[in-house]
Amino acid sequence: MAIETSFTGKTALVTGAASGIGAACARWLDKQGIGRLVLVDRDAEGLSALPLSCEIERHAGDVSDPAFWQKLEGDLGKIDHAVINAGIADGATIRDASFDHWRRIMAVNLDGAFLSLQVAMRTMGSGGSVVMLGSVSGVKPMAGASAYSASKAGLIHLAKIAALEGAPDGIRVNVIAPGGVDTAIWDDNPDFTKMVEDMGREQALAAMASATPSGRFASAEEIAQSIGFLLSDAAGNITGAVLASDGGFSL
């Protein structure tokens, strides 16, 4: 079965869609013939800049805000697929992290994922597929990323519960767990910024990827293709799974 037959005329929700993996997913789904995309991000300008050919609804808002989802849910109509991708990353050890740091990461990565998932499953009704953006750090403990890793571990368990609850209604829920991905999320990391100043972006990425068996970071487009597979009818018997796309980092 050709994957594109899974999406023709369907509607997909993508959060964190203005850049990186979310934008790559929107572009991929557009190429597969998706009928309608509902795109969510805090970055209204980034959402507007996405060149897509399908019907598009752009919603600028904070995924961790229940009022945003309450307002949006009434206007969504039926959703067939959802990519719950919105997230932020920041590093701090348990000893050094402030509670504000902890709550900021949890609010977007876990609270936002819960609210997005809740609305997606409600609007799917009977039948549908969801992919949630986890991380290899939610599977493999990583020092210095306490809040981020904990948020992604919580997201993975949330997705498995959703897979159990959604199964009677034909709703599949899976997780993609990337390792290093070349996206703008690194640009807010002061250590990476310093590396870029010293050696350039390509060499900085290569240096960071040296601990990965494949020796490289993935592109956002590669991750989008894996997400597309999990969303599609080709993965119709897969639910509650965590697919690592990490170049072997978790081995």
Side-chain angles (χ1 to χ4, degrees), residues 77-92:
K78 186 179 185 329
I79 297 294
D80 303 292
H81 307 285
V83 180
I84 297 175
N85 163 73
I88 56 175
D90 198 359

Side-chain angles (χ1 to χ4, degrees), residues 71-151:
K71 183 175 183 298
L72 182 60
E73 183 176 357
D75 300 326
L76 272 180
K78 186 179 185 329
I79 297 294
D80 303 292
H81 307 285
V83 180
I84 297 175
N85 163 73
I88 56 175
D90 198 359
T93 65
I94 293 172
R95 289 178 178 178
D96 295 335
S98 67
F99 186 68
D100 285 344
H101 164 87
W102 173 268
R103 279 306 317 151
R104 182 170 60 88
I105 301 292
M106 289 294 171
V108 177
N109 293 3
L110 194 51
D111 298 348
F114 166 75
L115 292 168
S116 306
L117 177 63
Q118 184 178 60
V119 169
M121 293 181 73
R122 284 174 178 168
T123 54
M124 281 177 180
S126 179
S129 60
V130 180
V131 176
M132 303 181 71
L133 261 291
S135 169
V136 66
S137 68
V139 179
K140 179 178 180 177
M142 300 182 68
S146 54
Y148 180 77
S149 294
S151 73

Side-chain angles (χ1 to χ4, degrees), residues 162-221:
L164 286 172
E165 293 183 356
D169 295 317
I171 297 173
R172 298 185 299 106
V173 184
N174 292 292
V175 177
I176 187 85
V181 184
D182 181 6
T183 69
I185 200 168
W186 294 105
D187 297 338
D188 293 327
N189 184 301
D191 292 334
F192 180 73
T193 301
K194 180 63 167 60
M195 292 174 68
V196 171
E197 291 174 355
D198 292 342
M199 62 181 72
R201 185 179 179 84
E202 292 302 317
Q203 286 185 308
L205 287 170
M208 293 180 66
S210 62
T212 299
S214 68
R216 67 178 184 88
F217 277 7
S219 68
E221 288 70 25

